[in-house]
Amino acid sequence: MVSGEPENNIENSVFKLLHLDDGPFDSDFDAIATIVKDITKTSYSGISFYHDNKVFFRPFKGGVLDGIPMGEYFRSDQKNSEIININNTIADPNNKFKPVNFGEIEIRSIASAPFFRYDKQMLGEIFVADKIERDFSENDVKYLKYFADLISKIIVLKVDCRLEKNVMQDKYNQISRQYQTLEEEGVRSQAMLKDIGDALVATDNSGNINFVNDAALTAMGYESMEVMGKSFIKMFRIFNKDGKEVESNENPLRNALFFNKKVKSNECLLLKKSGDQFQVSITATPVIFYQRTIGGIVVIRDITREKDVDRMKTEFISLASHQLRTPLSSIKWLVELLLDDYKGMNEEQIQIVKNVYESNQRMIDLVDGLLNISRIESGRIIIEPKATNLKTLVEKIVGELTPKIIEKELKVNIDIANDVPEISVDPKLISNVYLNFLTNSIKYSINKGQVNVKIYIKDSDVISEVKDSGLGIPKKQQARVFEKFFRADNVTRVVTDGSGLGLYLTKLIVEASGGKIGFESEELKGSTFWFSVPIAGVLPKKGEVSIE
Amino acid sequence: MNKKILIIEDEQQIISVLSRVMKKAGFEVIAAKDGKEGLGKALKNNPDLILLDIVLPVMDGITFLEKYHKTVGEDKVPVIVLSNLDSADKIEESIKKGASDYLVKTNWTLKDIVDKVNMILKES
């Protein structure tokens, strides 16, 4: 049953089919009309059907009666679905049915049974008729009813199925088009994937390879035939950095398919067909279609070159710092010898030698700073958190800076809230931060000034503030304070030493520890530098170097 | 008897400076300018402490440590590494191969080095 269509559309379609020349009903109707005429031994038979308040006939299509108005038809009322059995049309006691003239033929007796579409709509009737008066037997009426029923069924079969078929055909065409679009897209995607630089392998949801691009084949030394359909895990064997083959429960593709999420293996080795290994970074992603995992995609990036460049950088930095330090340590010690025993030098000479020592020390600090920065930037700093008592840490640093504090007659106040717990931080790194803040505060304070250290808890962080009443930072330059090598103008003139590295390095340390850093400052009033560390502590990080 | 210190260092200037302060502190000083010479003198002269640089010609400090400790065994003679290299793996390797300490030259004053030497000799 075709649903949702307006009734008269269906009616139109039905009518069209019923009335069609060489339509689907021709042979059926002709056969039925003939049979019923023979069985009931009448002279005339036919099938009529209604449309648009007119009556049409089969056979007799196109004949003089075809399309006569309902009013001129013997069953003038379409709503009347009685069986008609009249042996004498003139003497009709009920006068319900008009005398019938089929063209020139005067019909005296007529019997008819209506047929319907799904018991709803009366479509027409099958009738037999004679010129003479005659009775129609019970059997005759039975046959008429039987054939009317049959016609109902044939119509349903042929009409509705045909309509249904049209709808199906439309749907089929639509799906065909969509399928073609998908196929085209598929072909296009494949063409794109074949050519991209990264090695890419696609698998079904069992991990068997169903696509592999040229880059992957070349990188591994395989032919396409060798890997298609095979298990990814078997053909692309992954090893850890230390040379051990990766276990199944660590395999990125297996985990991506199992846990339905993207899995990355940042540095591992792949075994080529030749037996050599090469360094890669692997990302496996599940392909999810309507909430089902239908396969996986593995992208493999050859990082050999990256690693080489990294290694060269590291070697260069190590070498450079060693080479720079060599003469610096010589100068340091030679000058120490001089200062240790300065008989024969006058005041001025002694001062000069002291200055040389200080300058040299600044250069040493600069080399150290640059080295540390380059290590943090390349992610190679080790972070080793331990439960650290910040009070002890800060007091120790203030202790180390005492000579300078006394020299400038500064007052230093340490205020640490009682509820600040020991937190898990790398004490060497965090010391660097406090040291930098305090050194700056002291350096840029005027004599007899005040430096306050305050540590407290705010939300889920521990905040440390170092406030001074020193030179401050001009508003216009505040945005650049954490830049490498930046020193504000107002201090370069007054305090000549300072490489401009301290805050840059400090910011790197704080951020690598998961914290935030900031400051407030007003020129000639002073600055407050602060940094935060999560109470939960800092995550350990395996690296290659620690900060001195 | 004065304690004997062997200095293995390729820069003549550093040898001079270190010798001077060590002698002033009351030690007898022997010097070698590369790892091979150092190994020979270490085995021949039985020093009480060795100051060892890492970057050396002919045989570097790490190799010296390996060979020296293979022959003499660890924990006999304290070896203090004095170097301007400061990478974690070099430090780790030195300690693993038996060095008692690792000092980065630019971080230590001569006075502090002498104090350190005295402290280590007192402990052993």
Side-chain angles (χ1 to χ4, degrees), chain A residues 206-257:
Chain A
S206 307
N208 295 320
I209 300 172
N210 55 22
F211 174 82
V212 57
N213 74 349
D214 288 347
L217 294 173
T218 312
M220 297 290 285
Y222 285 134
E223 302 279 327
S224 172
M225 267 189 337
E226 291 177 86
V227 296
M228 287 296 281
K230 303 253 175 57
S231 154
F232 173 85
I233 293 181
K234 290 212 176 74
M235 301 307 289
F236 287 75
R237 290 172 62 191
I238 304 174
F239 293 76
N240 281 327
K241 268 197 291 200
D242 48 23
K244 267 178 48 185
E245 186 157 11
V246 148
E247 303 270 338
S248 158
N249 62 357
E250 288 169 341
N251 188 293
L253 175 68
R254 182 254 181 203
N255 286 341
L257 292 176

Side-chain angles (χ1 to χ4, degrees), chain A residues 248-512:
Chain A
S248 158
N249 62 357
E250 288 169 341
N251 188 293
L253 175 68
R254 182 254 181 203
N255 286 341
L257 292 176
F258 196 74
F259 295 110
N260 266 346
K261 59 178 176 117
K262 185 151 117 168
V263 175
K264 246 184 137 161
S265 269
N266 266 324
E267 269 181 38
C268 43
L269 298 160
L270 266 185
L271 183 65
K272 289 200 231 204
K273 183 173 173 190
S274 64
D276 294 326
Q277 288 181 335
F278 65 112
Q279 280 177 302
V280 293
S281 144
I282 299 183
T283 308
T285 314
V287 178
I288 299 183
F289 189 70
Y290 285 114
Q291 290 158 350
R292 254 188 346 121
T293 301
I294 59 170
I297 305 239
V298 186
V299 178
I300 298 167
R301 214 153 52 81
D302 187 335
I303 56 174
T304 313
R305 179 124 183 86
E306 259 175 56
K307 292 262 114 191
D308 275 349
V309 167
D310 245 7
R311 199 179 31 86
M312 290 194 292
K313 244 176 38 176
T314 308
E315 283 172 8
F316 173 74
I317 288 172
S318 283
L319 186 64
S321 58
H322 176 266
Q323 298 300 82
L324 287 171
R325 281 184 176 136
T326 302
L328 294 178
S329 56
S330 287
I331 296 173
K332 179 182 167 96
W333 289 345
L334 288 168
V335 173
E336 277 174 22
L337 285 183
L338 265 183
L339 286 174
D340 196 33
D341 178 15
Y342 39 78
K343 283 201 279 286
M345 282 201 281
N346 63 37
E347 284 285 325
E348 201 186 339
Q349 286 167 327
I350 295 171
Q351 191 53 49
I352 289 173
V353 172
K354 283 196 178 151
N355 288 343
V356 168
Y357 192 77
E358 266 174 38
S359 289
N360 190 63
Q361 194 58 48
R362 288 225 305 270
M363 273 200 283
I364 290 175
D365 293 342
L366 193 60
V367 169
D368 284 347
L370 284 171
L371 194 58
N372 285 332
I373 284 174
S374 118
R375 281 167 174 164
I376 286 197
E377 278 178 342
S378 62
R380 288 169 53 239
I381 286 286
I382 305 172
I383 299 184
E384 288 173 313
K386 311 194 231 286
T388 305
N389 183 315
L390 294 177
K391 185 162 190 282
T392 320
L393 199 77
V394 171
E395 284 172 352
K396 175 159 156 268
I397 292 169
V398 171
E400 284 173 16
L401 295 170
T402 307
K404 293 227 175 77
I405 293 171
I406 294 178
E407 200 186 307
K408 283 189 131 166
E409 298 177 80
L410 298 172
K411 266 183 65 174
V412 176
N413 188 40
I414 305 177
D415 170 20
I416 299 180
N418 285 334
D419 55 354
V420 174
E422 282 195 353
I423 48 172
S424 178
V425 286
D426 186 322
K428 284 211 294 266
L429 293 178
I430 296 297
S431 290
N432 252 281
V433 178
Y434 285 117
L435 184 64
N436 176 254
F437 279 2
L438 285 166
T439 312
N440 284 345
S441 282
I442 293 169
K443 191 156 58 174
Y444 299 120
S445 280
I446 48 177
N447 285 12
K448 303 214 173 84
Q450 169 104 20
V451 175
N452 290 329
V453 180
K454 191 161 163 228
I455 304 183
Y456 57 94
I457 296 185
K458 183 170 168 205
D459 300 329
S460 52
D461 293 316
V462 174
I463 315 272
S464 303
E465 288 177 2
V466 174
K467 183 179 156 107
D468 66 63
S469 51
L471 297 170
I473 303 165
K475 271 257 170 337
K476 274 203 220 123
Q477 307 205 295
Q478 285 185 5
R480 301 184 58 196
V481 150
F482 292 105
E483 267 176 43
K484 222 190 256 189
F485 298 122
F486 178 78
R487 293 188 76 223
D489 296 335
N490 64 333
V491 293
T492 350
R493 279 177 252 126
V494 174
V495 179
T496 46
D497 83 337
S499 58
L501 278 183
L503 279 176
Y504 178 76
L505 183 57
T506 304
K507 181 165 186 265
L508 286 181
I509 292 175
V510 168
E511 285 174 357

